Amino acid sequence: MLGASKAFGSYSVDSIGAAKEFYGQTLGLDVAVDETMGILAVHLAGGHDVMLYPKDDHRPAEFTVLNFTVDDIDEAVDALAARGVSFEVYDGFDQDAKGIARDARTGPSIAWFKDPAGNILSVLHESPA
């Protein structure tokens, strides 16, 4: 029924201005604010979008809301760190000094970080099977 529907994800933030700067400048993504609706469109590779909307009583997601696949996770983490991004460390994951979890038995190499609203994002590199 919805197989041909163009879908998109959305989640809340506490400041569209801070989100625009972070997603546009820090992460280098194409962003656009819809002034009429007050939402931020984040344009992703492959023609997909994520819509960020302001919410006065915003509570950050307690799970990863957006994953970015990368060819070289070390390069991506280093570049983001150079732009001021801090990486999260979680119990139960064997993460290195950069915050990268690398365990081919349990999944891809992954590093988590937060946007200014506290939502969890990641960069990950999937090893070839």
Side-chain angles (χ1 to χ4, degrees):
M1 179 173 92
L2 298 177
S5 175
K6 182 180 180 209
F8 65 91
S10 65
Y11 51 92
S12 70
V13 296
D14 54 3
S15 168
I16 291 296
K20 180 182 179 189
E21 182 175 333
F22 180 77
Y23 286 87
Q25 299 301 313
T26 303
L27 301 186
L29 300 172
D30 181 21
V31 298
V33 176
D34 180 326
E35 299 294 341
T36 306
M37 296 177 58
I39 61 174
L40 179 70
V42 179
H43 306 294
L44 305 172
H48 302 284
D49 293 338
V50 174
M51 307 306 281
L52 307 185
Y53 57 92
K55 188 173 179 192
D56 291 335
D57 61 346
H58 165 75
R59 289 182 32 192
E62 296 179 5
F63 51 85
T64 308
V65 295
L66 190 57
N67 298 285
F68 295 93
T69 57
V70 295
D71 292 331
D72 185 325
I73 194 162
D74 288 283
E75 184 179 292
V77 166
D78 291 345
L80 289 169
R83 291 176 173 226
V85 173
S86 298
F87 289 86
E88 301 295 308
V89 175
Y90 294 110
D91 290 336
F93 291 91
D94 186 18
Q95 292 171 265
D96 64 19
K98 293 182 182 185
I100 303 171
R102 306 172 197 263
D103 188 346
R105 295 171 295 147
T106 59
S109 295
I110 186 167
W112 297 273
F113 59 99
K114 293 182 179 179
D115 72 4
N119 294 307
I120 303 167
L121 314 175
S122 83
V123 289
L124 63 93
H125 175 257
E126 295 184 279
S127 301

